[in-house]
Amino acid sequence: RYLLEQDFPGMRIGPEPTTDSFIAVMYGDSEGNVPGNALVVDPKKPFRKLSRFGNAFLNRFMCSQLPNQVLKSISIIDSPGILSGEKQRISRGYDFCQVLQWFAERVDRIILLFDAHKLDISDEFSEAIKSFRGQDDKIRVVLNKADQVDTQQLMRVYGALMWSLGKVINTPEVLRVYIGSFWAHPLRNTENRRLFEAEAQDLFKDIQSLPQKAAVRKLNDLIKRARLAKVHAYIISYLKKEMPSVFGKENKKKELISRLPDIYIQLQREYHISAGDFPEVKKMQELLETCDFTKFHSLKPKLIEAVDNMLANKIASLMSLISQEESNMPTEMVHGGAFDGTMAGPFGHGYGEGAKEGADEDEWVVAKDKPAYDEIFYTLSPINGKISGISAKKEMVTSKLPNSVLGKIWKLADCDGDGMLDDEEFALAKHLIKIKLDGYELPGTLPSHLVPPSHRKPLQTTE
C-alpha cells in the first residue's frame, strides 16, 4: 500500500494478522480480482505449477490487478500474516513453508517485515525463514513503525532484532535491515527523521534496480538448476548401479538411503563436485523412500558433457549478449507510487542540508559565521591578507579529521589555486570542516553558491 500509494482489491490492513491469503498484486488495464483456481489455469500467468498444492491453498490464493505505474515494472506477492502463540497449532490446510519456498525460488527480492513493538520470531516465522534457505542473497529486512520508539529504545530494538535473526538465519554475514516508518502518516517521534529518510531512499534504490538485474538473475537460476540436475544424475545413476538384479531389492534400498551421506562424500571425491551443490540429505532421503530404484536411469555421459559444455562456453556468450542488450537499452527503473516525488523540490534527500545549504539564498551561506572565522584567521598572522598552508594546517588539524579529508577541503577552499587562503577562502574551509563534522558528505566540486563572493566571475552581458 505504501509503495503503490493506492488501495488494491482484497487489501486489508490492520494491527492483527489480517491477510489470510497469498495475493499476487500485478498490473492490469482494469481493477479486479482473479481467484486462485482460475489463476493456475491461465497460460499467461506464471502460476500454473502452484496447482500441486491443492484446493486448500488455491482457495487462499488470488491475483489483484490494477492499473498502477509501479506494477508495470514489478509484481508483488503479499503473503499471509504470520501466526504466533496458540493460533499456529491450527493447520492452514496446506504446506505453508513449501508454498513460500516455491515463491522464494522465483522472486528477485524477499522482504521480511518486523514491527518495532513485536520482535518475537514465532515458530511459524522461524520455519518460514528456514524455507528461504539457499536464497539468502535475496533477503532484506524492514524494521517498520520505528517512529513509535525513541532513539535509545530503537538502538535496543535493532540490537534485539539482529540477535534474533542471527539465531534463525545461519549465515555469518549480517542481513541488511532498513529502519523506518513505511506509511504516509505523521511521524510520532521526529528525532530520527534523517535516518528514516535515508533508509527509505536506500530501500527504494534496491527495489528500483530489480528490473535491470532480472535477466542476470534468471541466468543465475538456470546455472544453479543445471548444476543441481547434473549432481542429481550422478546420485540417481549410482543408486541404480548398486541395486541387485533379482533378490533383496527392498533391503538394499533401505541400506542405500541410510548410507546417503557417505554416498555424497564418495561422489564428491570421484567427480570433484563441491558439497554445496548436493541436495539436503534429509529431504533427499524422504523423497527416495517412495521411489523404485530399479526404474532409475543409468548415467548418460553425453548428456553430462552437454551440460558441462553449456556451463563452460554457452553461458559466457549469453552473459555478453545480456550486457550488450543492457548497454543498448535505456535503464529500466521502477516508477510511480512512492518511487516518484521523493526527490521533488525542497523535500529531496539532503536538500538544504550540508553542502546544499544556502543554494536558494542570495547571500553567501558562510557569511553568517564569518565574523567568528575571521577572529581565528587574524590570530594566524596573515601576510598581505593571506595565510600560508602551514598556518592553515595548524588550525585545520584541530578538527581531528583525517589528512585525506582535510586535503580535499583545502583543494575546494583554495579557489584561485595560489597555495594560500584569504579570509573568505579560510571561512569556506572552516564551513566545509563543519559540514563534514555534522556527518554530511563533501561535494566533488565546489557548488556555485559556496564560491566566496570575491572569487566569483562577474556576469558578462552583451549589448
Side-chain angles (χ1 to χ4, degrees):
R1 171 67 184 80
Y2 176 73
L3 295 177
L4 301 179
E5 290 189 341
Q6 94 176 74
D7 292 352
F8 55 88
M11 182 189 85
R12 278 166 60 222
I13 296 173
E16 77 283 7
T18 45
T19 315
D20 62 347
S21 304
F22 279 88
I23 303 176
V25 188
M26 303 177 82
Y27 184 82
D29 294 329
S30 58
E31 212 169 290
N33 276 337
V34 182
N37 282 293
L39 203 55
V40 294
V41 293
D42 185 349
K44 292 179 182 175
K45 295 278 191 295
F47 304 120
R48 301 186 79 172
K49 293 284 174 72
L50 282 167
S51 57
R52 69 185 171 95
F53 293 108
N55 273 333
F57 164 69
L58 295 178
N59 291 335
R60 290 269 176 262
F61 180 45
M62 60 186 273
C63 177
S64 183
Q65 293 182 313
L66 65 157
N68 187 291
Q69 183 76 16
V70 173
L71 300 173
K72 282 187 175 180
S73 308
I74 55 169
S75 296
I76 303 164
I77 309 294
D78 181 24
S79 66
I82 294 291
L83 303 177
S84 60
E86 287 295 312
K87 286 179 284 187
Q88 54 189 350
R89 294 187 187 177
I90 304 162
S91 172
R92 289 181 187 265
Y94 61 90
D95 195 329
F96 180 62
C97 289
Q98 282 287 310
V99 175
L100 284 177
Q101 192 174 354
W102 189 92
F103 279 114
E105 286 167 359
R106 288 156 180 82
V107 298
D108 292 280
R109 184 66 73 238
I110 300 163
I111 298 178
L112 305 178
L113 286 157
F114 288 88
D115 279 8
H117 283 290
K118 289 178 253 175
L119 280 187
D120 61 313
I121 299 180
S122 66
D123 293 349
E124 188 176 55
F125 203 0
S126 179
E127 288 302 312
I129 294 170
K130 282 174 186 171
S131 68
F132 299 143
R133 195 159 285 157
Q135 314 293 334
D136 302 329
D137 57 316
K138 297 178 182 178
I139 297 175
R140 301 289 184 274
V141 177
V142 168
L143 179 58
N144 198 14
K145 303 179 187 175
D147 64 321
Q148 296 183 13
V149 293
D150 61 32
T151 306
Q152 190 180 15
Q153 289 170 324
L154 182 59
M155 184 183 73
R156 297 185 193 286
V157 164
Y158 180 79
L161 175 62
M162 297 307 284
W163 181 79
S164 301
L165 285 170
K167 293 183 78 177
V168 180
I169 301 172
N170 297 319
T171 56
E173 294 84 11
V174 176
L175 281 174
R176 177 64 167 99
V177 177
Y178 299 95
I179 304 167
S181 176
F182 295 92
W183 67 344
H185 289 253
L187 297 175
R188 291 196 186 177
N189 199 322
T190 56
E191 60 190 42
N192 292 311
R193 175 189 281 273
R194 261 184 64 203
L195 169 69
F196 298 158
E197 284 172 359
E199 292 284 283
Q201 286 305 319
D202 284 355
L203 180 60
F204 287 162
K205 280 177 193 168
D206 187 67
I207 296 171
Q208 281 185 304
S209 67
L210 293 178
Q212 281 175 270
K213 298 170 186 170
V216 176
R217 186 196 62 78
K218 283 171 187 166
L219 187 61
N220 187 52
D221 284 351
L222 173 69
I223 297 164
K224 202 189 286 185
R225 193 162 180 176
R227 288 165 72 101
L228 279 170
K230 190 175 138 184
V231 171
H232 207 77
Y234 285 133
I235 297 166
I236 297 303
S237 60
Y238 180 88
L239 296 173
K240 160 83 172 175
K241 189 175 70 177
E242 291 293 307
M243 285 298 284
S245 53
V246 186
F247 301 111
K249 290 179 183 177
E250 203 55 41
N251 289 337
K252 187 65 177 175
K253 177 182 166 180
K254 284 178 183 173
E255 184 215 316
L256 287 169
I257 290 171
S258 65
R259 251 189 349 106
L260 198 62
D262 297 328
I263 293 168
Y264 275 16
I265 293 164
Q266 192 177 329
L267 293 172
Q268 281 169 40
R269 287 175 186 158
E270 192 176 339
Y271 296 105
H272 309 290
I273 308 166
S274 165
D277 286 353
F278 282 80
E280 201 183 329
V281 175
K282 275 188 182 176
K283 192 180 175 185
M284 193 66 173
Q285 285 172 328
E286 285 169 19
L287 292 168
L288 288 171
E289 291 281 355
T290 57
C291 297
D292 182 355
F293 288 12
T294 56
K295 290 183 180 175
F296 287 165
H297 292 282
S298 300
L299 192 68
K300 296 188 174 91
K302 279 192 176 178
L303 290 178
I304 297 289
E305 205 176 298
V307 173
D308 285 338
N309 179 40
M310 181 198 77
L311 291 170
N313 306 313
K314 294 182 181 176
I315 292 293
S317 57
L318 262 176
M319 270 303 290
S320 63
L321 281 171
I322 288 171
S323 357
Q324 277 173 28
E325 200 172 279
E326 282 178 352
S327 60
N328 295 333
M329 286 171 69
T331 307
E332 199 179 341
M333 297 285 272
V334 181
H335 293 290
F339 297 99
D340 285 353
T342 51
M343 303 298 282
F347 301 101
H349 181 55
Y351 191 95
E353 299 172 349
K356 294 176 186 175
E357 187 190 352
D360 295 341
E361 296 169 19
D362 294 330
E363 193 183 349
W364 188 39
V365 70
V366 184
K368 63 180 187 293
D369 295 316
K370 192 170 181 291
Y373 298 149
D374 282 349
E375 283 182 29
I376 302 167
F377 179 76
Y378 289 110
T379 63
L380 300 171
S381 311
I383 300 164
N384 299 326
K386 292 193 174 191
I387 57 168
S388 65
I390 294 168
S391 301
K393 183 183 176 181
K394 282 176 189 172
E395 172 56 32
M396 288 169 74
V397 293
T398 60
S399 65
K400 296 182 181 175
L401 285 170
N403 282 350
S404 56
V405 175
L406 293 173
K408 188 176 181 181
I409 290 169
W410 172 271
K411 196 176 174 184
L412 290 168
D414 186 11
C415 299
D416 52 16
D418 64 352
M420 301 182 85
L421 300 182
D422 60 25
D423 60 324
E424 285 187 346
E425 289 173 324
F426 177 76
L428 173 61
K430 291 292 284 181
H431 181 73
L432 292 170
I433 287 171
K434 183 175 176 286
I435 286 171
K436 192 65 187 169
L437 291 175
D438 286 346
Y440 297 99
E441 288 304 312
L442 293 171
T445 53
L446 194 66
S448 56
H449 70 276
L450 286 182
V451 176
S454 64
H455 290 271
R456 292 178 188 176
K457 290 174 183 173
L459 292 170
Q460 294 179 343
T461 54
T462 52
E463 291 181 10

